[in-house]
Amino acid sequence: EPEVTQTPSHQVTQMGQEVILRCVPISNHLYFYWYRQILGQKVEFLVSFYNNEISEKSEIFDDQFSVERPDGSNFTLKIRSTKLEDSAMYFCASSPDRFTDTQYFGPGTRLTVL
Amino acid sequence: AQSVTQLDSHVSVSEGTPVLLRCNYSSSYSPSLFWYVQHPNKGLQLLLKYTSAATLVKGINGFEAEFKKSETSFHLTKPSAHMSDAAEYFCVVSDQGYSSASKIIFGSGTRLSIRP
């Protein structure tokens, strides 16, 4: 069964450094998402992406965040200058089309900012 | 605006006894409702989904959930708990098909513990 994959599984970085989290959505899916889960807190929506542009973003998704689909398979989340409070589990998800709102999640990337 | 409330942060049951994880929602439109499970150090796995077809939805691993519009509830049940059910469970709501990309809203999660 097709799966969403994410790399790396764990990323440790110094405060102020840039990080790129990578996701490979399910191949025939058209909608892509990033969520984050700070330890002990709810899973929070960050951004949705369709047709090479952002569809919707939350207030969390400020100017330090960006998303990109650099090729036909990868979907990336970049954090330009990491802060301690960016430490969280980041989940990528994808869904086939606008009529199917089931989202399929990857295993997550645990980001630790020191 | 949609919201979802999971009424219990932690539920503990004995192996072989029934499981009930409670969820209430609010939504402006016809909601789609989901339950996801997260095992320790694992990603989010879809357990089941409700989309207005049948009010009783059967999912994987023997779980099921009943949509009750009058009570705005979507509680998750299982007749007999297994040790492998120990995990975090999330109730999720989504507005169906009104935006180009559905934004789903997670509940705060319920940690299910199973006693031997």
Side-chain angles (χ1 to χ4, degrees):
Chain A
E1 187 176 324
E3 292 181 333
V4 176
T5 60
Q6 290 184 244
T7 54
S9 57
H10 190 192
Q11 173 91 47
V12 180
T13 190
Q14 295 290 327
M15 191 169 56
Q17 295 295 305
E18 174 183 286
V19 295
I20 297 176
L21 310 183
R22 291 184 165 78
C23 168
V24 179
I26 295 172
S27 63
N28 61 345
H29 286 190
L30 301 177
Y31 293 87
F32 315 114
Y33 312 84
W34 283 101
Y35 293 81
R36 79 171 184 192
Q37 184 183 30
I38 295 172
L39 187 64
Q41 298 186 23
K42 282 189 184 188
V43 178
E44 303 170 291
F45 170 78
L46 289 177
V47 66
S48 59
F49 190 86
Y50 169 72
N51 199 26
N52 282 319
E53 60 183 27
I54 291 173
S55 291
E56 189 173 2
K57 60 183 180 179
S58 73
E59 59 276 6
I60 302 167
F61 194 87
D62 60 23
D63 291 345
Q64 69 161 341
F65 290 94
S66 62
V67 288
E68 193 178 30
R69 189 151 162 84
D71 53 42
S73 59
N74 288 284
F75 177 53
T76 62
L77 174 69
K78 182 192 289 186
I79 309 175
R80 245 177 290 280
S81 177
T82 50
K83 304 172 193 159
L84 295 175
E85 55 265 36
D86 294 327
S87 293
M89 181 73 93
Y90 288 80
F91 291 105
C92 173
S94 68
S95 62
D97 55 47
R98 66 177 292 178
F99 303 108
T100 305
D101 52 5
T102 303
Q103 295 181 20
Y104 297 86
F105 284 80
T109 294
R110 180 168 298 285
L111 176 66
T112 302
V113 182
L114 303 175
Chain B
Q2 323 112 295
S3 69
V4 59
T5 302
Q6 290 184 245
L7 296 156
D8 307 292
S9 59
H10 184 208
V11 169
S12 179
V13 302
S14 297
E15 189 175 20
T17 64
V19 174
L20 169 65
L21 305 184
R22 298 183 293 164
C23 173
N24 286 97
Y25 72 92
S26 68
S27 177
S28 305
Y29 306 106
S30 288
S32 291
L33 294 158
F34 309 80
W35 278 96
Y36 284 86
V37 60
Q38 184 181 27
H39 286 93
N41 301 313
K42 301 284 188 185
L44 293 156
Q45 181 184 19
L46 180 66
L47 267 183
L48 50 80
K49 171 185 177 182
Y50 165 78
T51 55
S52 78
T55 56
L56 183 63
V57 183
K58 293 190 185 299
I60 62 172
N61 301 334
F63 284 93
E64 61 183 38
E66 186 171 8
F67 174 73
K68 291 187 177 179
K69 188 174 182 179
S70 59
E71 298 175 11
T72 61
S73 70
F74 189 57
H75 300 335
L76 181 71
T77 60
K78 182 173 180 176
S80 176
H82 191 271
M83 294 300 291
S84 60
D85 294 328
E88 188 90 12
Y89 291 79
F90 295 95
C91 183
V92 173
V93 65
S94 169
D95 279 344
Q96 189 173 19
Y98 284 88
S99 61
S100 59
S102 298
K103 181 177 68 177
I104 62 176
I105 306 297
F106 280 76
S108 54
T110 298
R111 184 163 60 90
L112 176 63
S113 300
I114 312 296
R115 301 187 298 271

